[in-house]
Amino acid sequence: MLLWFVIAYWIISVAIGLWVAMRVHNTADYAAAGHSMPLYVVTATVFATWFGSETVLGIPATFLKEGLHGVVADPFGSSLCLILVGLFFAVPLYRKKLLTIGDFYRIKYGRTVEILVTLCIVVSYLGWVAAQIKALGLVFNVVSDDMISKDAGMIIGAATVMIYTLFGGMLSVAITDFIQMIIIMLGMVYIAWDLSATAGGVSAVINHASAAGKFDFWPALNPTEVIGFFAAWITMMLGSIPQQDVFQRVTSSNNENTARNASILGGSLYFCFAFIPMFLAYSATLIDPELVKQYLDTDSQLILPKLIMDHSPLFAQVMFFGALLSAIKSCASATLLAPSVTFAENIVKGFYKEMTDQQLLKVMRVVVFVFTCLVTFIAIRSELSIFKMVEGAYKITLVAAFVPLAFGLYWKRATPLGGLLSVAMGAGVWLVCEWVAPNALIPPQLAGLVASLTGMIGGSLVASRKELRAA
């Protein structure tokens, strides 16, 4: 019965996305929803995009093992990322009326930097999207009681999400995200209420977690712990800022105030609701400790779905898996669209300058199809957890894209040479450190960020001096 409810919900949500797709007429509709979305829709799509598989499955599994200290990257870093975007990046980026984040790098630093940063952004999405596809396979496997294998579930999920994303783009994503945000919120609140009673009440779960040390957040006062904690925090907090999906939500807004406020509201909502799955997962230690013991060291991502299946009535199961599928679908569709749009606009179009708007729209759709196939293959082959796949996705944008974006907006002396050296040195140092000393005292992404900062300041100052001498 649960499987049929899931199938019905899946078909209805895809149908809504395809219905909205009929309103897509050009690349502005496809990539930026016609720059027309109101505050409540943009807030919903910011929240729904980030509330994905890692929030419902990955973060709770990590919290069970490591407590709050282990989830500093997400939700703490990720929600702060959205708030920082609203405070410092949304308005200046919105005013530029660009189609992609890659356009900013071309205008500010030139074609070479545009290509390099765009490739880094596209690569960063591989792990993130693959995590959503992996989660879809897990959900279909659980609700079908193993009738659908995880690999088959990944293929089914990826194919259906791709359909409305391919045709409807950002317009379909925004409208379906709005609906899915409502389902996520209602589903999470209801299932928390249902399971808290079984566990002995909210206070019982919180007191048990506190006694077990799960609320210890700050690192031990030694260099290794402090530096590792800081690096994990900024990887998602800063590395997520120069991402196309964030930029699309900014630029799809109907005005700059909406762009700013929606980012702040979406980030705040995400932070609050991300704690509900952690609460649900930890309640399993009181409701069914044998279940936790069975899966904690083998596949901890299964603890929460198995708990719902074994200890909740059908209606609660429908609410939970409806919310989970909504979370995954909204995140997957957004992260399929974002790299595809920026690759088509900033890589392909640059080599075919006479391309018409309709031709570019076709290219974007072709890239969505190819990218879906690629990430599905990665999801099937990868052995990493959902949380680790998402956490690692932002390292490359942290070291290669954040400094050029921030300095390009707020430092008037930033030059094309500074931008090029920032990208090259940041990515280069990070790759070398990952290869030579991935577990060093200074994490590779932190070393790359320092190198990126050095390249930006050094390159820009050298170029400025040359210009002064020439004058």
Side-chain angles (χ1 to χ4, degrees):
M1 184 65 69
L2 174 62
L3 179 60
W4 287 111
F5 274 115
V6 169
I7 291 173
Y9 166 72
W10 195 258
I11 291 173
I12 292 170
S13 60
V14 171
I16 292 172
L18 290 174
W19 174 70
V20 176
M22 293 189 293
R23 297 171 56 191
V24 173
H25 304 295
N26 52 51
T27 55
D29 291 339
Y30 192 80
H35 308 288
S36 62
M37 295 292 104
L39 177 64
Y40 63 92
V41 173
V42 182
T43 300
T45 193
V46 168
F47 169 83
T49 296
W50 285 69
F51 202 98
S53 62
E54 72 284 358
T55 314
V56 184
L57 301 176
I59 294 175
T62 304
F63 175 74
L64 281 175
K65 293 181 178 180
E66 306 174 34
L68 284 183
H69 178 77
V71 296
V72 59
D74 195 2
F76 291 92
S78 54
S79 55
L80 277 173
C81 161
L82 294 172
I83 293 171
L84 289 175
V85 167
L87 292 175
F88 301 107
F89 294 89
V91 172
L93 286 175
Y94 183 85
R95 288 174 179 171
K96 294 182 181 296
K97 295 295 183 183
L98 305 173
L99 191 64
T100 69
I101 189 71
D103 291 342
F104 170 82
Y105 294 95
R106 181 186 68 250
I107 294 169
K108 184 67 182 179
Y109 302 111
R111 174 67 175 158
T112 301
V113 173
E114 175 193 20
I115 292 175
L116 291 174
V117 172
T118 298
L119 291 175
C120 290
I121 290 173
V122 171
V123 169
S124 74
Y125 278 98
L126 295 175
W128 192 6
V129 187
Q132 312 312 313
I133 303 302
K134 198 178 190 74
L136 286 173
L138 185 149
V139 172
F140 279 114
N141 175 254
V142 171
V143 300
S144 68
D145 197 20
D146 292 327
M147 286 191 296
I148 300 175
S149 69
K150 290 182 181 179
D151 288 355
M154 291 184 208
I155 294 171
I156 294 169
T160 48
V161 171
M162 179 195 68
I163 290 173
Y164 75 82
T165 306
L166 187 149
F167 289 104
M170 186 61 198
L171 201 58
S172 286
V173 169
I175 300 303
T176 53
D177 277 359
F178 176 69
I179 297 170
Q180 285 160 178
M181 185 192 80
I182 297 172
I183 296 172
I184 290 169
M185 288 183 168
L186 292 176
M188 287 292 107
V189 170
Y190 176 81
I191 200 67
W193 171 81
D194 181 73
L195 281 184
S196 65
T198 308
V202 174
S203 60
V205 177
I206 293 176
N207 291 336
H208 193 280
S210 179
K214 296 301 181 182
F215 294 151
D216 295 339
F217 179 70
W218 299 106
L221 293 179
N222 65 72
T224 302
E225 288 286 329
V226 172
I227 294 173
F229 181 87
F230 176 72
W233 196 333
I234 67 169
T235 296
M236 289 194 72
M237 183 173 66
L238 303 182
S240 305
I241 291 175
Q243 288 284 16
Q244 175 63 17
D245 65 283
V246 176
F247 177 82
Q248 280 180 312
R249 274 126 200 86
V250 168
T251 195
S252 67
S253 303
N254 55 10
N255 58 62
E256 61 186 45
N257 290 329
T258 295
R260 178 187 63 243
N261 296 335
S263 295
I264 297 172
L265 286 172
S268 301
L269 283 172
Y270 174 76
F271 182 77
C272 295
F273 273 83
F275 284 92
I276 296 180
M278 284 189 266
F279 170 84
L280 294 174
Y282 195 81
S283 68
T285 61
L286 299 178
I287 298 171
D288 193 344
E290 288 300 316
L291 175 70
V292 177
K293 184 179 179 180
Q294 178 183 355
Y295 289 104
L296 186 61
D297 295 321
T298 54
D299 194 352
S300 54
Q301 296 164 157
L302 281 172
I303 291 175
L304 186 50
K306 290 288 186 181
L307 177 71
I308 303 299
M309 292 292 290
D310 295 344
H311 296 277
S312 295
L314 178 61
F315 182 73
Q317 293 175 15
V318 171
M319 292 296 289
F320 174 78
F321 285 103
L324 177 56
L325 284 172
S326 294
I328 298 170
K329 282 175 75 276
S330 59
C331 191
S333 59
T335 50
L336 279 176
L337 179 66
S340 303
V341 166
T342 194
F343 185 85
E345 166 72 9
N346 301 113
I347 301 294
V348 178
K349 186 182 177 183
F351 293 105
Y352 301 94
K353 299 186 184 298
E354 302 302 319
M355 185 182 296
T356 65
D357 189 77
Q358 288 301 308
Q359 289 173 329
L360 178 60
L361 182 58
K362 291 179 182 178
V363 171
M364 288 179 178
R365 286 170 168 158
V366 170
V367 178
V368 167
F369 174 80
V370 174
F371 194 76
T372 304
C373 295
L374 177 60
V375 295
T376 304
F377 174 78
I378 292 172
I380 292 173
R381 302 284 296 178
S382 177
E383 298 296 329
L384 292 175
S385 70
I386 291 171
F387 185 83
K388 290 298 180 184
M389 291 175 77
V390 172
E391 184 182 31
Y394 302 104
K395 292 180 180 179
I396 189 169
T397 46
L398 173 69
V399 301
F402 172 72
V403 170
L405 175 63
F407 276 68
L409 288 174
Y410 287 104
W411 194 41
K412 293 181 180 180
R413 299 181 68 178
T415 65
L417 177 61
L420 180 60
L421 289 178
S422 180
V423 175
M425 290 176 62
V429 169
W430 170 65
L431 287 172
V432 170
C433 290
E434 286 282 5
W435 179 46
V436 175
N439 299 313
L441 175 62
I442 304 298
Q445 70 268 34
L446 193 55
L449 179 62
V450 173
S452 179
L453 186 62
T454 303
M456 170 58 70
I457 295 174
S460 296
L461 291 179
V462 168
S464 297
R465 287 177 182 176
K466 287 183 178 179
E467 291 176 0
L468 287 173
R469 289 174 183 173

